[in-house]
Amino acid sequence: MKSLVTGGAGFIGSHLTEALVARGESVRVLDNLATGYLENLGAVKNQIEFIQGDLADLETVQKAARAVDVIFHQAALPSVPRSIKNPRASHDANLTGTLNVLIAARDNQVKRVVMASSSSVYGNSPALPKVETFEPAPLSPYAVTKLAGEYYARVFAALYGVSTICLRYFNVFGPRQDPTSQYAGALAKFIACALRGEPYPVYGDGEQSRDFTYIENVVRANLLAALSEMDGAAAVNIAGGARTTLNQIIATLNELTDQNLPTQYGAPRVGDVLHSHADISRARELLGYAPTVDVREGLRRTVEWYARNSEHKSSR
Ligand code: NAD
């Protein structure tokens, strides 16, 4: 199987690229290094083809999709605040980029596109757990690009037979996540605090919860989606399937690092979603997906990685 990974130099894309290489697949990466780093691909750089280029340029994407069986479309500007500041840049990378990927998939007879979507398409509704049948309610330009990408996928499946599975990721975490990324948010900051022995800063009372999803589960979901026999287009939640509060994360970090660092509680942030939790039944039924690494084990592995790599990270 020949794969194209867009955004392969990013957090999720680089883990996926490594997993594909480990399976003996032939991998091409397309990335413009806007938020990714070549060093993320350090372990596999001699075993892949790397194209530095922009998704917003159709010719570049067409070239990258040549003779490819599967496209794992991970590239995007993955920040809500950035999209609010500069909607145009997010639109170009995320939506024009996705349209170009689908056009290139159609023109190159790519068998399957697996696309990174996001839990942000659900917006702020308090109903839990989030089911794919909920009406979407995007609240940022970023979420609009993800939802519109899903609609493009549906239309390309119906009109041109491009088969696409859109994976709605919920708060992915793990080694190599850029701590400046909005998704890194609380987790990466808390891990940095745990490693420096500093108090954990929390907005609100720490009882807000998320469906934190360890990176290995996301990689597995992508591989399952690539191999699934489904036709057409589908949107599927990918998550751990459980809720963890920030206070629970902090307690686990203290335990894992054998300390009792205090938490500094501040005013809640306006507009923060209080709770997020995914129903992962569709992922189970359609893809045979089940999370295999839970939050605690994911945190253990991530802390270990950041501890080993703190020097190299701080030199960025
Ligand atoms: P990341 O920033 O680490 O990776 C994104 C990659 O895309 C980067 O390497 C970047 O250089 C590349 N890129 C951006 N614009 C590009 C362009 N115009 N042309 C070519 N390459 C471009 O982010 P990530 O966390 O790995 O996210 C991967 C995907 O998952 C994104 O689509 C994101 O929206 C989605 N997602 C992530 C999370 C999460 O928790 N990390 C949650 C929901 C959805």
Side-chain angles (χ1 to χ4, degrees):
M1 178 173 93
K2 174 132 189 137
S3 302
L4 168 65
V5 181
T6 73
F11 162 49
I12 296 173
S14 64
H15 282 278
L16 180 58
T17 300
E18 278 182 0
L20 289 165
V21 169
R23 286 164 58 96
E25 313 285 2
S26 158
V27 188
R28 183 180 293 152
V29 166
L30 172 63
D31 200 303
N32 69 350
L33 303 179
T35 57
Y37 302 91
L38 265 184
E39 70 195 64
N40 284 344
L41 290 167
V44 291
K45 66 171 187 255
N46 297 326
Q47 296 163 77
I48 60 165
E49 185 187 340
F50 181 80
I51 301 177
Q52 183 165 348
D54 195 327
L55 279 178
D57 178 46
L58 178 59
E59 213 176 299
T60 302
V61 186
Q62 290 280 23
K63 214 170 100 195
R66 235 165 258 162
V68 157
D69 300 300
V70 181
I71 300 179
F72 295 93
H73 176 38
Q74 309 293 316
L77 292 177
S79 160
V80 168
R82 184 170 177 164
S83 80
I84 292 170
K85 248 193 231 150
N86 188 350
R88 180 80 221 194
S90 295
H91 179 98
D92 290 347
N94 302 6
L95 194 54
T96 305
T98 294
L99 177 60
N100 286 346
V101 165
L102 290 168
I103 291 171
R106 178 197 65 186
D107 294 352
N108 290 278
Q109 288 86 44
V110 171
K111 296 184 186 76
R112 166 63 44 81
V113 179
V114 183
M115 213 154 98
S117 186
S118 161
S119 59
S120 64
V121 301
Y122 292 111
N124 230 343
S125 95
L128 293 176
K130 309 289 184 201
V131 187
E132 292 87 343
T133 48
F134 282 10
E135 192 180 336
L139 293 171
S140 64
Y142 169 76
V144 169
T145 65
K146 288 294 169 181
L147 184 61
E150 289 188 4
Y151 288 157
Y152 263 133
R154 252 200 245 170
V155 167
F156 267 65
L159 292 181
Y160 313 115
V162 177
S163 170
T164 304
I165 300 184
C166 302
L167 304 178
R168 292 181 175 174
Y169 302 153
F170 281 66
N171 295 83
V172 188
F173 73 99
R176 274 196 223 126
Q177 186 163 31
D178 184 346
T180 60
S181 132
Q182 109 110 10
Y183 289 109
L187 269 201
K189 281 182 203 135
F190 291 169
I191 291 172
C193 290
L195 292 175
R196 288 197 301 256
E198 291 171 3
Y200 305 98
V202 167
Y203 297 106
D205 64 4
E207 284 306 296
Q208 57 270 55
S209 61
R210 296 287 180 271
D211 197 333
F212 293 109
T213 314
Y214 186 63
I215 179 68
E216 200 173 300
N217 300 323
V218 170
V219 167
R220 179 182 294 266
N222 272 276
L223 299 177
L224 288 168
L227 299 172
S228 144
E229 280 171 11
M230 192 214 81
D231 252 344
V236 182
N237 290 342
I238 296 298
R243 276 201 292 142
T244 310
T245 67
L246 296 188
N247 287 331
Q248 286 169 329
I249 294 283
I250 287 170
T252 307
L253 284 176
N254 270 340
E255 197 191 316
L256 288 170
T257 56
D258 202 16
Q259 344 174 60
N260 195 14
L261 298 170
T263 304
Q264 274 171 355
Y265 295 103
R269 261 193 313 201
V270 183
D272 260 1
V273 176
L274 268 189
H275 303 292
S276 177
H277 179 200
D279 181 317
I280 53 172
S281 317
R282 187 182 280 183
R284 280 187 211 282
E285 284 153 24
L286 206 67
L287 309 178
Y289 165 83
T292 52
V293 181
D294 65 16
V295 172
R296 190 196 153 80
E297 173 58 15
L299 276 178
R300 194 194 62 74
R301 295 187 196 178
T302 310
V303 166
E304 201 178 274
W305 185 87
Y306 275 104
R308 263 203 328 264
N309 291 273
S310 52
E311 217 171 278
H312 123 116
K313 278 270 156 187
S314 61
S315 68
R316 268 186 183 169

